[in-house]
Amino acid sequence: MNTRSYTPFAKLLHWAMALLILGLFVVGFLMHDLPLSPWKLKVYSWHKWAGVTAFLLVLARLAWRLGHRPPELPEAIPRATRALAHAGHGLLYLLMIAVPLSGWLMSSAKGFQTVYFGLLPIPDLLAKNKELGDLLHEVHESLNLLVVALVVAHVAAALKHHFVDRDDILVRMLPGRKPS
Amino acid sequence: MKRLASILIPTLMLTVAPAAHAVEYKTVQADKSRLSFGYRQMGVAMDGRFSRFTVQLAFDPARPAAARAVMEVELASIDAGSAEANDEVAGKEWFNSKAFPVARFVADAVKPLGGNRYEVHGKLTIKGHTQAVVAPATLTPQAGAAAFDGAFQIKRADFAIGEGAWADFGTVANEISIKFHILASAGK
Ligand code: HEM
Ligand code: HEM
């Protein structure tokens, strides 16, 4: 079974974003418990800058994807499973937008504006409001937990395709293989 | 005798005449006054305020040279943006508010700059460090009262605010801008 591969640009964006998002998770979950210090303030800023970068990347990725359909999933995969895969990918895209948006809104509500790389101030859409800030923190956290669950399932599915089904679903996303 | 009178009378008139019309602003309305500050943290503009401070004021616009002002700020009343930050700045490295609970500003000269503008010269003491500061201020008369609005900048390092790990200005900038709005009613 040999299907077309993802284009190199699609692969690049997928893996760059996968790494970035995994990094954001780890940093995000660890940084809250740091004692207040210059280091903590730096880490928070880096998290926010990287998060905004992820947001810009997913916009670019979606814009690019509109004109570049990904390779079809092979017919051998049951229709319902294919639908599930598409739904899962769609949800991942949605969350890649919703998570940074919630982070940005939370920061505004907590009274900490986001200034991209310390240079470009991103306007605050919300005024400072502690209750709303705490609520948006919950939102950011819950959405992230949802992403974690989905990514675990996503990775498990990719590995199952490779090692159990022995098809090339994983391989066609791996770097190095030319689209055919 | 005549000569003396010709000197004395105009001099007396000069000093007495304005005083007869002048109001002296003395009673500060704490609930209508504000003391806020701003700084940059990782390039982000932050602001905060102190909610408890007292001002002893005697200011007659006609006699700025005789003005007196003493402001005392209860450092524990800070709102630096978040509960975490408020706890932090009370600590030894920042204000050390246990040992130095009060910041004090004592004006020692008020220079008129023309119109409603003045320049307040004074000494600011925080955490046992005293520095001379100059604050431009404007006076806006209102019914039976006047608002003094002004702003000036200090460098936190001059007062050892933010020591140890915080001494580096890369995260929290050295420059702190301070803004005041003081409403005082006219006393007799
Ligand atoms: C894809 C992008 C992002 C991911 C994967 C991500 C992930 C996370 C995670 C896992 C946490 C820990 C949640 C918790 O348990 O408290 C977190 C916290 C946080 N995130 Fe994000 N984040 C992203 C984007 C952003 C953006 C764009 C901003 C702001 C502009 C932001 C601001 C924050 C802040 C301020 C916290 C800490 C909340 C606190 O501890 O009080 N995040 N993030
Ligand atoms: C090490 C972790 C990961 C592995 C092994 C992995 C693997 C894969 C593979 C093999 C595909 C292609 C599926 C196909 O052939 O149709 C894919 C697509 C996709 N992955 Fe991942 N992935 C990982 C992490 C992530 C992360 C963290 C995200 C985002 C949060 C993500 C989002 C997506 C999306 C949205 C697609 C669909 C691309 C499209 O068709 O437009 N992946 N992934």
Side-chain angles (χ1 to χ4, degrees):
Chain A
M1 192 165 58
N2 194 4
T3 52
R4 286 194 306 126
S5 194
Y6 276 89
T7 60
F9 190 60
K11 292 176 186 175
L12 178 70
L13 280 175
H14 175 270
W15 291 111
M17 288 199 67
L19 278 180
L20 187 61
I21 289 171
L22 292 178
L24 277 159
F25 279 146
V26 176
V27 170
F29 283 123
L30 293 179
M31 66 186 187
H32 185 77
D33 293 325
L34 291 173
L36 186 55
S37 64
W39 169 246
K40 181 175 191 169
L41 298 181
K42 281 184 189 144
V43 172
Y44 268 66
S45 292
W46 294 333
H47 177 85
K48 290 164 71 165
W49 302 344
V52 173
T53 306
F55 180 71
L56 296 176
L57 281 176
V58 79
L59 290 187
R61 185 168 167 189
L62 282 171
W64 190 84
R65 192 187 188 280
L66 279 178
H68 300 78
R69 282 185 62 82
E72 293 297 334
L73 288 169
E75 297 281 329
I77 297 175
R79 183 187 293 275
T81 313
R82 278 182 276 157
L84 190 67
H86 289 140
H89 292 163
L91 198 54
L92 280 172
Y93 279 126
L94 206 66
L95 285 166
M96 282 190 271
I97 291 178
V99 167
L101 280 183
S102 65
W104 164 56
L105 293 174
M106 158 184 34
S107 294
S108 294
K110 290 198 170 199
F112 296 93
Q113 198 187 7
T114 304
V115 181
Y116 197 34
F117 292 112
L119 296 172
L120 182 73
I122 298 173
D124 283 324
L125 208 63
L126 299 174
K128 184 169 176 177
N129 176 331
K130 186 170 185 315
E131 285 71 39
L132 190 58
D134 290 342
L135 180 71
L136 284 164
H137 183 177
E138 304 271 312
V139 171
H140 193 61
E141 184 169 12
S142 311
L143 289 176
N144 268 302
L145 292 176
L146 197 57
V147 182
V148 171
L150 265 178
V151 167
V152 167
H154 179 69
V155 173
L159 296 178
K160 173 185 177 280
H161 278 288
H162 193 70
F163 293 107
V164 180
D165 304 337
R166 296 178 183 279
D167 57 22
D168 54 3
I169 293 296
L170 174 61
V171 178
R172 67 188 203 157
M173 185 49 106
L174 293 182
R177 194 162 168 272
K178 289 225 166 61
S180 47
Chain B
M1 196 58 201
K2 239 187 128 190
R3 257 194 72 186
L4 186 62
S6 69
I7 298 170
L8 258 182
I9 290 165
T11 319
L12 277 173
M13 284 189 52
L14 259 180
T15 47
V16 173
H21 302 281
V23 279
E24 187 166 55
Y25 299 108
K26 280 177 109 160
T27 316
V28 171
Q29 302 178 16
D31 53 330
K32 290 186 182 128
S33 302
R34 273 183 77 89
L35 178 63
S36 53
F37 57 90
Y39 60 101
R40 289 195 162 264
Q41 175 179 300
M42 291 299 288
V44 181
M46 303 288 298
D47 52 37
R49 52 177 297 203
F50 291 95
S51 53
R52 289 194 300 275
F53 54 92
T54 59
V55 190
Q56 288 159 11
L57 183 75
F59 183 80
D60 176 350
R63 295 188 306 139
R68 278 176 296 117
V70 177
M71 182 176 211
E72 294 198 329
V73 182
E74 197 178 318
L75 293 173
S77 74
I78 194 171
D79 176 3
S82 66
E84 201 183 11
N86 295 350
D87 288 345
E88 175 68 24
V89 295
K92 279 211 167 71
E93 292 182 329
W94 291 93
F95 287 129
N96 195 2
S97 328
K98 271 222 182 76
F100 303 97
V102 171
R104 183 176 291 103
F105 174 77
V106 181
D108 42 39
V110 176
K111 289 191 185 150
L113 298 179
N116 279 335
R117 295 185 307 118
Y118 298 89
E119 205 174 67
V120 185
H121 293 245
K123 298 258 184 330
L124 179 61
T125 306
I126 310 173
K127 207 181 176 181
H129 299 262
T130 300
Q131 295 280 332
V133 298
V134 179
T138 56
L139 178 87
T140 317
Q142 306 177 346
F148 297 83
D149 285 282
F152 59 100
Q153 208 179 57
I154 61 167
K155 295 207 163 41
R156 64 181 178 89
D158 291 345
F159 301 91
I161 302 170
E163 297 176 81
W166 295 103
D168 169 34
F169 307 133
T171 35
V172 179
N174 194 13
E175 291 77 22
I176 312 280
S177 62
I178 297 180
K179 251 166 70 179
F180 55 88
H181 170 83
I182 290 162
L183 193 75
S185 23
K188 261 287 158 169

